[in-house]
Amino acid sequence: MMKKVHIITYGCQMNEHDTEQMVGVLHTVGYKLTETLEEADLILLNTCSIREKAEHKLYSQLGKLRPLKQQRPDLILGVCGCVAQQEKEQIFKRAPYVDLVMGTNAIPKLPMLLESLDYLPRALELSEIEWEDESRNIFRECRFKAFITIIRGCNNFCSYCVVPYTRGREKSRPSAEIVAEARHLVEDGVLEITLLGQNVSSYRDSSYGASSFPRLLQALNAIEGLERIRFITAHPKDLTDELITTMAELPKVCEHFHLPIQAGSNHVLHLMNRKYSREWYLDRVHRLRAAMPGIAITTDIIVGFPGEREQDFQQTLSILEEVRYDSIFAFNYSIRPNAKAGDFPGQIPDEVKNTRLQQVLDLQKQINLEKNSELVGKTYEVLPEMINRRFPETLTGRTRTNHVVTFKGDESLLGRLVPVKITEAHPFRLTGQLIA
Ligand code: SAH
Ligand code: SF4
Ligand code: F3S
């Protein structure tokens, strides 16, 4: 009898990929995925700690699961991911019905931890030590797209951020291992890989082969059958001329750069410990566009960072106007455990944060629409990923520039690169027509 696992995933692609790995590892010990909570023998919450109330959200979600656990004491309830790494055994104190708490480095130990629950009341694994070889048993929802972790952790300590405390220090995977994994995926039908890391541009392999991020891109570009290479995220301070030139030269590396700026004023960037200036950032954008004229640039913005004056905020708005991003993610600053900015003077009231956030979102919505309108009438290569649930006989896919396009088409096109002419622009997606 197969057992069933239900996983709820919060957070970034790193967490999504961790979930794919957990499903893969669990499969080897007889578990399969279920969509329904009631059916599950094991429920895992893969948590994210990046923004406010993450802990509160976890405990309220656990509260909702409690009756299920009371009805079925044999159900295993586990918490993993970044909040687990941060809250540690405190989770057992606040929610004593939880069976398993495991941090961000414990995935390969999951079967062993589950087994230990046969003879122990609960299991806790929070090792800081990174696991060496990433599991090959990765479960993927989509047949032709895959993530590959290239670097884990972060050394940057931006003053607002919890990640260095939940994911530990930077550690690159050997490039030979990454290239082998990519080859294996391509043999399995994968056309597009996304290289994952909190800071992919600081990738370093001290062993041999591709020693830097540009070298790694070159090695991956040489894999026959692979069509698209993406990566997320790169820190602006490490965006070298060499990386720009290499991207422009390599046909498989997609014309999209997610380059989080966070704030437009040097005063705030300095307080955030971002280690670059507005001027440096704008110069990088300029160089990216000079080398790859059609490149899409996207970003992350934080508003209401402690000490952000009105004039600083105006500079965030002006950077949006100046760069004209293809899309952005914008957030209110929130205090996170361990992150230094929590103790900074000049914390901004919520009402001010909310007003600023709305201003950012309104301005960007207009820019999105204007920029998307410029694409109408042009034809792009699209990788159709799924049938659109809302409109039948419609597919959703992405251009190399990461724009989402919906167009009429059937299942037979899934996983084939097709030319699509853009017919209509919306703020957050495009409509197109398949070119026969
Ligand atoms: N390593 C990535 C960021 C990962 S976190 C990078 O440096 O680009 C994703 C985004 O969450 C960040 O870019 C930032 O905009 C936002 N974020 C992180 N900590 C935050 C906090 N304390 N409050 C609000 N937003 C935050
Ligand atoms: Fe957080 Fe900064 Fe590291 Fe990104 S680079 S994960 S924002 S500390
Ligand atoms: Fe969240 Fe952890 Fe990712 S805090 S954003 S899941 S690294």
Side-chain angles (χ1 to χ4, degrees), residues 237-299:
K237 78 175 165 52
D238 302 314
L239 175 45
T240 57
D241 290 345
E242 190 198 3
L243 175 54
I244 297 174
T245 320
T246 310
M247 277 183 81
E249 275 168 11
L250 299 176
K252 294 179 185 174
V253 178
C254 289
E255 296 76 25
H256 170 219
F257 214 111
H258 186 66
L259 195 60
I261 184 157
Q262 313 299 0
S265 92
N266 285 335
H267 170 65
V268 173
L269 286 172
H270 178 72
L271 291 172
M272 286 178 161
N273 192 29
R274 288 292 285 180
K275 306 184 185 91
Y276 55 81
S277 65
R278 176 188 177 103
E279 294 71 29
W280 161 265
Y281 183 94
L282 286 171
D283 176 63
R284 297 293 97 192
V285 169
H286 179 73
R287 284 177 197 229
L288 279 168
R289 286 188 170 146
M292 289 161 277
I295 192 170
I297 299 179
T298 56
T299 204

Side-chain angles (χ1 to χ4, degrees), residues 198-263:
Q198 291 299 348
N199 188 11
V200 291
S201 41
S202 65
Y203 176 84
R204 288 282 173 283
D205 180 4
S206 51
S207 52
Y208 59 90
S211 52
S212 64
F213 187 55
R215 294 286 91 72
L216 179 66
L217 289 177
Q218 279 165 345
L220 293 167
N221 189 77
I223 297 177
E224 215 169 302
L226 181 62
E227 297 285 348
R228 290 175 165 191
I229 303 169
R230 302 186 184 282
F231 53 83
I232 194 156
T233 304
H235 194 296
K237 78 175 165 52
D238 302 314
L239 175 45
T240 57
D241 290 345
E242 190 198 3
L243 175 54
I244 297 174
T245 320
T246 310
M247 277 183 81
E249 275 168 11
L250 299 176
K252 294 179 185 174
V253 178
C254 289
E255 296 76 25
H256 170 219
F257 214 111
H258 186 66
L259 195 60
I261 184 157
Q262 313 299 0

Side-chain angles (χ1 to χ4, degrees), residues 135-183:
S135 159
R136 276 293 172 78
N137 306 303
I138 297 171
F139 167 85
R140 281 180 289 112
E141 197 105 44
C142 181
R143 274 174 295 133
F144 28 85
K145 280 174 46 165
F147 293 128
I148 302 183
T149 311
I150 65 163
I151 178 168
R152 299 198 195 90
C154 184
N155 293 351
N156 290 317
F157 293 90
C158 301
S159 60
Y160 50 82
C161 188
V162 75
V163 171
Y165 308 96
T166 62
R167 297 269 168 173
R169 289 303 73 70
E170 274 175 13
K171 187 158 182 257
S172 296
R173 285 176 72 198
S175 55
E177 201 180 293
I178 295 167
V179 173
E181 189 173 326
R183 284 223 173 86

Side-chain angles (χ1 to χ4, degrees), residues 354-371:
N354 291 339
T355 316
R356 288 181 180 173
L357 183 63
Q358 200 52 51
Q359 271 180 277
V360 163
L361 295 174
D362 289 346
L363 172 59
Q364 184 57 34
K365 189 171 178 185
Q366 183 197 325
I367 295 173
N368 273 5
L369 188 58
E370 284 165 13
K371 288 213 70 168

